[in-house]
Amino acid sequence: MTWRNWLIAAHDVLATAAAVLVTFFVRFEGSSFFDRLPVLFWILPYFLVLSFVVCYLFKLTATKWRFISFPDLLNIVRVATVLAVALLILDYILLAPNVYGTFFFGKVTIILYWFIEIFFLSGARLAYRYFRYTRTRNQARVVDAVPALLIGRAADAEVLLRAIENGAVKRLWPVGVLSPSPSDRGQLIRGVPVLGNLEDLADVVGDFARREKPIDRVVMLPSAFEPEVQPESVLTRSRKLGLTVSRLPSLDESQDAPRLAPVAVEDLLLRPSVKIDYRRLEALVKGKSVVVTGGGGSIGSEICERMVTFGAARLLIIEHAEPALHAVVEQLSARGSAAVIEGRIADIRDRDRIMRLMHEFKPSIVFHAAALKHVPILERDWAEGVKTNIFGSVNVADAALASGAEAMVMISTDKAIEPVSMLGLTKRFAEMYCQALDRYLASKGNGKPPMRLISVRFGNVLASNGSVVPKFKAQIEAGGPVTVTHPDMVRYFMTIREACDLVVTAATHALQPQRPDVSVYVLNMGQPVKIVDLAERMIRLSGLQVGYDIEIVFTGIRPGERMNEILFAHEEPTTDIGIAGIVAARPNEPPLDTLRGWLLSLEKAVATEDRSVIEVVLKDAVPEFKAGAA
């Protein structure tokens, strides 16, 4: 126990002693009180020792008074009840027949003691809680506090108000709540009134302005992003009123203390995110050594962040771009995590370097996110795609196996399904190598659990490097036009965090004690989104009009693109694995020896930059490839 715990224990013992004495004084006022004092002083030391033990067992000595809550008050009631029962046993079994000749306490005294004990144990705690509460609120109101209006249901508002009270969220002073729930109207939430529904936004802001108490900020709570609440309308009206708009991420999303964040357009573009079982992910990662290739990219850096969040003991970030590596290491180090974070510059094409790094680090899990991914660029520089996406992936897989890793997870793409581009073709070949090696290891049966190699496919990731959302944002900020390749172009979308959490979830399934007979996982991205609809929506969310402020220009389908992405190939039987947001596929990959033969042919063709040979080998390996199909 710390010195604070000993102080609390001393308070509780003194409170118990005072409760006993006050009870006796109230119950036996007069000469009867002084007649009973000798016996009482003989019993009291033993009873106080018992009270210390009971308070310790019910964790009263470990409860932080600043955050005293209803469960803590219930513990106080339990402590008082146990001590009252102890007095009853003492009175009826020991004192009455053996010492005092009659009941020393009596039932009325014990009941009175029960109430007084609860009051004495809880009084100082509640007083301290109220003192800290008022001090924090006063500080929040006085020190650069921004008057804010909360948008969302009462339960979400209560989370933010608690965060303000305990100092986790600073410089914010909520003046009211607008709730979509009729049952919240006219209520007070921790002293803050619910002033109406979302349609009342302009009226409430105007009313405060007339009273010379202008509202500067709107905070959108998680429930404000539900489709029926029409978050686009809330955001648009708030911006028209000149208000700064922030959001409070859900606790599942943040995994940290509540904090405010800017409202990004991508918050309003998707269906509700898949619910993630974070305990499952923590069980996989906690205490493990993890390698992430391409850790400086948008997907790789988010995986690194999730590894630290879920309790990885060691993290090795492999990245060939020095600025990106420096940025991700600095960002993770600033979090103050207990994880040992190391960043190394390396290119996954350099087989010897990757082998050496993996051998020295000895990872438990490898996440392979390094890749070349821009479709038009790889259509032009096809050999670079083969070097990185195929040979680089082979190097990482072989190095993970040689270093004794439990699993390697390759980040793939929905473009690998019946590919029409060099990106999809090279990713599909890399998938097949991992699948073949996974099946080969499973067949060896050498007495220990074989390493798992799995691939996880997903589509476009909102706000990732090179994705359409940052591109549209930049075009809108520049005054347009917004360029869309084709009016009927359709894509699937996910957030970066959702995609990375589902990648780790897929790994938890693959590493079950009973080895699943699947090695390709596809993330369910909901309904596809029409790109032109996405562009129009982003223009409106920016407070502008399509065709008046910002034009949309159609530029034509680029090489390697197709109109509609697909999730599974015709020859890939799928299976439901019982995890929301993920479906598994059972592809029929060629034997490992056949793939290695193709790799030898590819290596020679790349060395001579013979595209015709490369295309023949890849078409032989992936017969469903259709060059130039849309």
Side-chain angles (χ1 to χ4, degrees):
M1 288 180 28
T2 66
W3 65 271
R4 291 179 183 272
N5 300 124
W6 283 112
L7 281 178
I8 295 173
H11 164 271
D12 293 344
V13 169
L14 291 174
T16 301
V20 172
L21 292 173
V22 170
T23 301
F24 264 73
F25 181 78
V26 172
R27 179 72 176 88
F28 304 108
E29 185 177 359
S31 59
S32 180
F33 170 71
F34 293 101
D35 291 342
R36 292 170 184 264
L37 278 182
V39 176
L40 180 62
F41 285 144
W42 175 71
I43 296 169
L44 191 58
Y46 300 101
F47 185 68
L48 295 180
V49 172
L50 174 65
S51 73
F52 169 80
V53 174
V54 173
C55 289
Y56 177 80
L57 292 176
F58 281 92
K59 301 188 185 308
L60 287 195
T61 57
T63 302
K64 200 172 182 66
W65 287 18
R66 179 180 175 183
F67 305 114
I68 188 76
S69 62
F70 184 71
D72 301 318
L73 295 179
L74 285 180
N75 272 341
I76 289 175
V77 171
R78 294 186 184 104
V79 167
T81 302
V82 170
L83 294 178
V85 170
L87 286 180
L88 189 66
I89 295 171
L90 179 67
D91 198 19
Y92 277 67
I93 295 178
L94 297 178
L95 295 179
N98 301 317
V99 178
Y100 202 69
T102 183
F103 296 122
F104 180 71
F105 296 101
K107 289 182 287 187
V108 174
T109 306
I110 293 172
I111 293 172
L112 181 61
Y113 161 77
W114 184 80
F115 284 104
I116 293 175
E117 177 75 3
I118 292 173
F119 176 77
F120 277 31
L121 287 177
S122 60
R125 287 173 164 84
L126 292 174
Y128 183 79
R129 170 69 188 269
Y130 182 74
F131 165 73
R132 291 301 297 260
Y133 162 75
T134 54
R135 190 176 75 168
T136 304
R137 279 180 65 88
N138 290 336
Q139 287 177 343
R141 189 170 188 172
V142 173
V143 182
D144 299 329
V146 177
L149 196 60
L150 311 186
I151 307 291
R153 292 193 175 89
D156 288 339
E158 202 261 351
V159 172
L160 178 57
L161 293 174
R162 280 183 176 272
I164 293 170
E165 290 169 11
N166 63 38
V169 175
K170 296 180 172 60
R171 298 182 178 178
L172 192 74
W173 183 250
V175 297
V177 179
L178 297 182
S179 172
S181 175
S183 62
D184 293 339
R185 312 283 163 75
Q187 306 295 311
L188 287 174
I189 307 168
R190 305 189 75 80
V192 178
V194 179
L195 300 174
N197 59 30
L198 277 61
E199 299 300 323
D200 300 321
L201 176 61
D203 292 338
V204 170
V205 172
D207 181 55
F208 273 86
R210 284 190 293 273
R211 288 188 281 157
E212 297 184 351
K213 298 178 180 178
I215 295 173
D216 295 327
R217 183 187 292 261
V218 165
V219 179
M220 297 180 69
L221 306 170
S223 52
F225 291 93
E226 295 172 358
E228 59 271 19
V229 180
Q230 297 181 325
E232 288 181 57
S233 175
V234 175
L235 181 62
T236 301
R237 280 183 286 163
S238 298
R239 287 177 173 169
K240 284 183 178 178
L241 292 168
L243 303 174
T244 301
V245 185
S246 302
R247 70 183 181 107
L248 177 72
S250 66
L251 292 181
D252 281 347
E253 183 183 352
S254 65
Q255 289 288 294
D256 291 313
R259 70 189 191 283
L260 297 184
V263 174
V265 174
E266 50 267 25
D267 294 323
L268 310 174
L269 299 178
L270 293 172
R271 74 279 182 270
S273 294
V274 175
K275 295 295 183 183
I276 307 295
D277 183 356
Y278 289 106
R279 287 176 297 182
R280 181 187 185 115
L281 306 193
E282 186 176 0
L284 171 72
V285 173
K286 193 172 183 64
K288 298 288 183 67
S289 299
V290 180
V291 167
V292 179
T293 70
S298 50
I299 300 297
S301 61
E302 182 66 25
I303 291 177
C304 291
E305 192 274 337
R306 305 312 279 154
M307 293 300 100
V308 171
T309 297
F310 297 137
R314 299 164 62 230
L315 174 65
L316 174 63
I317 305 169
I318 296 177
E319 172 61 57
H320 79 285
E322 182 187 28
L325 179 64
H326 175 75
V328 69
V329 171
E330 286 287 301
Q331 178 185 350
L332 294 175
S333 300
R335 293 186 49 171
S337 167
V340 177
I341 300 168
E342 184 179 357
R344 304 298 292 271
I345 295 177
D347 192 329
I348 58 172
R349 300 179 183 186
D350 187 340
R351 184 177 179 86
D352 292 338
R353 171 87 170 141
I354 296 299
M355 282 284 188
R356 187 163 56 252
L357 286 175
M358 293 270 200
H359 175 75
E360 292 172 355
F361 190 77
K362 301 197 180 310
S364 301
I365 306 172
V366 176
F367 289 93
H368 176 41
L372 298 177
K373 65 175 187 177
H374 292 283
V375 171
I377 292 176
L378 289 187
E379 290 303 297
R380 183 186 66 230
D381 296 326
W382 46 269
E384 300 306 301
V386 173
K387 293 174 187 176
T388 297
N389 294 349
I390 293 181
F391 287 105
S393 298
V394 169
N395 293 340
V396 173
D398 291 349
L401 176 61
S403 65
E406 299 172 17
M408 172 187 152
V409 182
M410 189 187 97
I411 309 300
S412 189
T413 171
D414 55 4
K415 294 173 178 60
I417 308 162
E418 297 183 1
V420 299
S421 63
M422 187 59 68
L423 169 62
L425 189 59
T426 54
K427 280 290 192 178
R428 181 70 189 108
F429 193 101
E431 281 185 6
M432 291 193 304
Y433 182 83
C434 291
Q435 293 156 17
L437 184 56
D438 182 72
R439 188 173 295 275
Y440 170 75
L441 295 174
S443 67
K444 288 181 65 176
N446 56 3
K448 68 174 183 177
M451 172 184 164
R452 288 304 322 258
L453 294 97
I454 67 170
S455 302
V456 182
R457 297 174 184 158
F458 51 81
N460 296 271
V461 177
L462 288 170
S464 64
N465 295 335
S467 74
V468 71
V469 170
K471 175 184 174 183
F472 285 172
K473 279 183 180 178
Q475 290 177 335
I476 292 169
E477 289 171 0
V482 172
T483 56
V484 178
T485 55
H486 192 280
D488 296 323
M489 185 73 70
V490 171
R491 290 292 182 267
Y492 293 95
F493 287 98
M494 305 185 78
T495 64
I496 293 178
R497 174 156 292 191
E498 183 182 24
C500 293
D501 284 347
L502 287 172
V503 165
V504 185
T505 301
T508 67
H509 181 266
L511 286 172
Q512 290 180 111
Q514 293 184 340
R515 181 188 180 99
D517 187 26
V518 292
S519 56
V520 173
Y521 295 82
V522 181
L523 307 189
N524 181 1
M525 293 163 281
Q527 295 299 315
V529 177
K530 217 172 184 180
I531 300 299
V532 67
D533 292 344
L534 179 66
E536 291 176 353
R537 199 171 179 187
M538 289 185 65
I539 292 170
R540 291 195 301 271
L541 288 171
S542 301
L544 303 172
Q545 294 183 22
V546 179
Y548 182 77
D549 299 302
I550 301 287
E551 295 287 342
I552 295 178
V553 175
F554 298 103
T555 58
I557 298 176
R558 297 175 298 180
E561 285 188 326
R562 56 185 168 197
M563 295 289 292
N564 299 279
E565 299 291 3
I566 56 178
L567 296 181
F568 295 99
H570 294 301
E571 73 278 2
E572 286 185 325
T574 63
T575 179
D576 185 358
I577 61 174
I579 299 177
I582 302 177
V583 180
R586 304 175 188 271
N588 298 313
E589 75 283 349
L592 185 60
D593 289 342
T594 302
L595 281 161
R596 284 174 173 162
W598 283 327
L599 284 170
L600 288 174
S601 300
L602 285 175
E603 189 174 12
K604 294 176 182 176
V606 167
T608 59
E609 295 192 357
D610 191 338
R611 179 163 189 168
S612 61
V613 174
I614 289 178
E615 288 182 346
V616 168
V617 172
L618 291 179
K619 286 180 181 179
D620 192 20
V622 188
E624 65 269 25
F625 172 62
K626 299 174 183 177

